[in-house]
Amino acid sequence: MSFEARSARTSTAEEQVAVVVVTYNRADLLEQMLAGLGALDRAPDAVFVVDNASTDHTREVLERSTLAGLVPIHASDNLGGAGGFRLGLQAAYDRGYDVMWLMDDDVVPAPDCLTRLLEADGSCLIAVREDRAGALVEKAALRFDLRNPLAIRPKTASIDSTYPSRAAMPATVEVENVAFEGFLVRREVIDRIGLPDASFFIFYDDVDFAIRARRAGFAIRAVRDAVLVRQLDFDQQHDLAGWKGYYMYRNLFVVHFRYGENLLVRLKPALIALVVVLLSPLRGGRAEASNVTRALRDGWRMRSLPAR
């Protein structure tokens, strides 16, 4: 991988802020997102963009960008979102930044988004996402239940399922998980819990990080007035018989193995796998059954946190 730094705009604020972006084969969306960063009323001091070995014109977008503080990082292999965010956060952390703001390539911040986040108290903060029509689409969980073995899905309430609009929210809302899409984390959190776990590849790496942060004593708050606009429709559904389905199952199981608050919750992945296999003739067939059994085996192997 290669690093190519450009001169950064000097911050007038006390804290030095780095944005960390991960992108893969979505050059046109990345270009819009970089334009949004360039329009912020409080400019970040650096923008680390991890290009996960894209094969489209991502490199050209980065080369012609005039965004101040841009630091392209070209990975030689696709590290997935988890590996990309770990790499970008490591680079920002090693260079001494106080605040790191994580972004996907398919969101555009409102001009005052970073300002609103920096005004809020806390070491873990999230911007609140909306779609291009202004509808609330923030999926961060108000409750992520790892205590009740009968909870089929641990996320039992989200911001957008609880509040009908942004205006209906209080100024800040405490949440129990995050997406690495508008998540702001201060240096002391990484000092305490380390970096994201790259072995997740995709899905649940952000949930894992949020659980570790909360268990280390850091509250996570959504900041109502920090607006992040999602450029794509929000679709969390994936083909569980396809390659993404393996990661969805495996990483969900890892979260239960690592953080289940009682034995029954830690055993829940085995029950889920059994039910999926029994129902596979009616839904995903052999491919989904193979995914879930392989996910159970591999998730068990990942039950311990890797070394920091």
Side-chain angles (χ1 to χ4, degrees):
M1 61 194 66
S2 62
F3 290 71
E4 179 190 349
R6 303 181 189 175
S7 59
R9 190 180 310 175
T10 301
S11 173
T12 57
E14 183 177 347
E15 290 184 308
Q16 295 288 295
V17 179
V19 176
V20 176
V21 181
V22 176
T23 188
Y24 176 68
N25 278 352
R26 299 203 293 195
D28 294 337
L29 287 171
L30 175 65
E31 194 162 27
Q32 293 179 55
M33 195 275 293
L34 294 177
L37 293 178
L40 289 170
D41 58 18
R42 195 293 190 190
D45 301 286
V47 178
F48 294 84
V49 179
V50 179
D51 170 18
N52 255 337
S54 296
T55 56
D56 65 357
H57 55 290
T58 292
R59 185 179 288 265
E60 288 76 13
V61 166
L62 292 171
E63 287 174 349
R64 68 172 176 259
S65 175
T66 59
L67 182 66
L70 183 64
V71 185
I73 303 174
H74 297 291
S76 55
D77 298 299
N78 184 357
L79 306 173
F85 279 117
R86 181 182 178 95
L87 177 62
L89 271 174
Q90 182 77 71
Y93 180 85
D94 288 348
R95 297 189 188 192
Y97 288 94
D98 306 298
V99 177
M100 284 140 277
W101 191 23
L102 281 63
M103 274 302 169
D104 264 348
D105 53 15
D106 61 351
V107 291
V108 175
D112 64 347
C113 186
L114 181 56
T115 299
R116 301 285 84 83
L117 286 170
L118 294 174
E119 289 173 346
D121 292 329
S123 297
C124 295
L125 303 166
I126 64 168
V128 176
R129 292 171 289 177
E130 63 183 39
D131 64 19
R132 288 174 295 174
L136 202 59
V137 292
E138 181 51 63
K139 307 296 182 184
L142 275 67
R143 176 73 178 125
F144 195 81
D145 190 350
L146 291 169
R147 179 174 299 172
N148 180 5
L150 300 179
I152 297 174
R153 295 180 179 178
K155 183 191 291 189
T156 57
S158 62
I159 287 179
D160 64 352
S161 72
T162 303
Y163 300 102
S165 66
R166 188 181 299 272
M169 293 176 59
T172 61
V173 176
E174 191 158 335
V175 296
E176 295 192 352
N177 77 354
V178 300
F180 282 166
E181 191 170 274
F183 175 55
L184 183 148
V185 59
R186 286 187 159 84
R187 187 176 185 86
E188 60 263 27
V189 180
I190 297 172
D191 288 340
R192 184 87 58 86
I193 71 170
L195 295 161
D197 181 355
S199 65
F200 279 88
F201 190 69
I202 56 170
F203 306 131
Y204 289 97
D205 52 313
D206 38 20
V207 174
D208 179 88
F209 189 88
I211 293 171
R212 285 193 277 141
R214 288 177 49 244
R215 293 192 175 186
F218 297 102
I220 305 172
R221 298 184 179 92
V223 180
R224 178 194 61 204
D225 296 333
V227 178
L228 200 61
V229 181
R230 215 168 189 280
Q231 301 303 296
L232 299 177
D233 292 337
F234 212 122
D235 181 6
Q236 290 281 61
Q237 302 305 312
H238 296 285
D239 176 13
L240 294 176
W243 70 271
K244 288 185 178 180
Y246 163 74
Y247 290 104
M248 290 285 285
Y249 278 127
R250 188 198 68 173
N251 295 347
L252 174 65
F253 294 168
V254 171
V255 167
H256 282 79
F257 288 143
R258 287 181 178 178
Y259 307 111
E261 296 181 25
N262 55 63
L263 179 60
L264 289 177
V265 171
R266 293 192 292 275
L267 290 174
K268 192 165 70 170
L271 178 60
I272 293 172
L274 176 62
V275 170
V276 171
V277 169
L278 291 175
L279 294 179
S280 62
L282 304 176
R283 34 180 292 159
R286 290 183 180 178
E288 186 177 3
S290 174
N291 273 348
V292 78
T293 53
R294 189 161 56 99
L296 185 65
R297 179 197 66 203
D298 295 347
W300 178 251
R301 293 171 177 167
M302 290 172 61
R303 67 190 183 276
S304 299
L305 276 169
R308 292 174 57 179

